[in-house]
Amino acid sequence: VQRQSLAMGSVISFQVIAETKEDGYEAIRKATGVFRSLEQIFSMYDDQSEMAALGRASGRQFVQVSDEAIELLRYAKKVNQQSDAHFDLTIEPAMRRWGFRQNPGETVTPPTDRELRELERIIGSSKIEIGSDNKVLLAERGMAVDTGGIAGGYALDKAIKAMKASNVSAAFINFSGDIHCFGAPISGHSWPVHILNPITQQPLTETIQLNNEALSTSGAYQNRRHNSGDRSWGHLLLPDAARPVEPMASVTAIHSSAMTADAWSTAAYVGATPPRDVRLKTLAG
């Protein structure tokens, strides 16, 4: 069975193999519920989300959050260390200043050097303090977290786990280009995935075969902002400089965990070297 749902601001496409349609649709219902429950925790656009609460309390007090938030924040801090700070959730203030929380059609004035220095001062995952009883503090006033480079993968992992516990034999989930799967399709032993060529906007002829794996692609070719002239920039920022970078067209990361693939596709795009168990496919600009 196949179905599309909407959650976490994106379309989720499901392909499920089961003995009956009812079993397949029930597994999809459970997986969709996972995405929607996590949206209430990680959304950057919902003032009631746990991440929004962390930002409001930054520099002032600890905020009690869910087990899921603690799990994601701990892993994000780990990737920050492993990537030599190329992956950093606290990039959110810079994302805002570069216009990525505004309408894509709006004109953006780039930050001044003074503003960039202030952004650099408050960016840093070491400033995320995780205390006892699931309490978290963003140590500097003005800090905020952007979970966009990891929460989708985390949700995919949880959704796949829920589907594996259902009465289905295989599933393939495409969440806005991030993919996770298990089992085998009706035809063949693995799931074929075509990566988009950012230059031609057409799928590459070569496919990536996934077998109980996840895939995530990062590139600056879709979500862009512009100034009043002819300059534009993508949404992938180098944390220690608080500014956009475009070293290549795209990076695709493959791993058994979608959260790992999601985080490392972002980190690798801006210059980090991933661990050996993360496979990469890069496209030059």
Side-chain angles (χ1 to χ4, degrees):
V1 297
Q2 300 184 48
R3 177 163 288 182
Q4 289 189 333
S5 298
L6 182 65
M8 297 180 75
S10 297
V11 174
I12 314 166
S13 299
F14 296 93
Q15 297 180 51
V16 177
I17 298 173
E19 288 291 334
T20 68
K21 287 185 177 181
E22 290 75 15
D23 287 340
Y25 288 134
E26 175 63 14
I28 292 172
R29 185 190 66 78
K30 290 180 179 179
T32 302
V34 168
F35 280 97
R36 290 177 176 162
S37 66
L38 293 176
E39 182 174 21
Q40 298 173 10
I41 298 172
F42 298 117
S43 175
M44 296 166 290
Y45 303 97
D46 181 357
D47 289 340
Q48 302 304 310
S49 74
E50 293 182 10
M51 298 302 105
L54 282 177
R56 286 194 298 271
S58 64
R60 297 186 296 108
Q61 63 187 35
F62 279 84
V63 175
Q64 189 160 27
V65 298
S66 61
D67 291 343
E68 291 84 355
I70 292 293
E71 184 179 13
L72 182 140
L73 290 173
R74 288 191 188 281
Y75 185 72
K77 284 171 69 69
K78 177 182 177 180
V79 176
N80 176 262
Q81 294 175 338
Q82 292 176 330
S83 68
D84 195 24
H86 284 80
F87 179 85
D88 201 316
L89 288 187
T90 64
I91 197 72
E92 174 63 10
M95 293 290 288
R96 294 174 183 171
R97 183 59 189 84
W98 284 97
F100 292 102
R101 302 299 175 244
Q102 300 172 215
N103 187 298
E106 292 185 35
T107 297
V108 179
T109 301
T112 64
D113 287 344
R114 182 175 179 178
E115 288 177 301
L116 287 172
R117 300 297 82 76
E118 175 59 19
L119 289 169
E120 290 171 13
R121 186 186 68 80
I122 64 174
I123 290 170
S125 289
S126 62
K127 299 180 178 69
I128 302 175
E129 299 180 14
I130 301 177
S132 59
D133 300 324
N134 282 24
K135 291 183 179 178
V136 178
L137 170 70
L138 304 182
E140 299 283 350
R141 282 185 178 270
M143 286 183 69
V145 293
D146 171 14
T147 60
I150 192 171
Y154 181 79
L156 277 168
D157 284 342
K158 296 297 184 182
I160 285 288
K161 182 178 180 180
M163 298 188 92
K164 285 181 175 179
S166 303
N167 193 24
V168 300
S169 60
F172 179 97
I173 309 177
N174 184 336
F175 174 57
S176 190
D178 288 346
I179 291 166
H180 206 345
C181 63
F182 74 92
I186 293 176
S187 177
H189 301 288
S190 57
W191 300 88
V193 178
H194 287 271
I195 302 300
L196 183 73
N197 184 326
I199 299 173
T200 65
Q201 293 294 303
Q202 297 296 319
L204 296 173
T205 54
E206 176 189 359
T207 61
I208 295 177
Q209 300 292 325
L210 295 183
N211 190 342
N212 298 304
E213 292 174 303
L215 172 153
S216 178
T217 298
S218 291
Y221 52 91
Q222 288 184 317
N223 189 10
R224 301 188 68 82
R225 296 297 184 270
H226 61 87
N227 66 1
S228 57
D230 59 1
R231 181 187 174 194
S232 70
W233 51 87
H235 69 288
L236 292 163
L237 278 60
L238 187 63
D240 64 1
R243 63 171 68 241
V245 291
E246 296 185 41
M248 61 193 77
S250 70
V251 171
T252 297
I254 303 161
H255 192 267
S256 58
S257 161
M259 179 167 64
T260 298
D262 199 4
W264 280 103
S265 69
T266 301
Y269 182 89
V270 298
T273 300
R276 291 183 179 180
D277 61 342
V278 176
R279 292 157 47 205
L280 291 185
K281 180 178 179 60
T282 61
L283 293 179

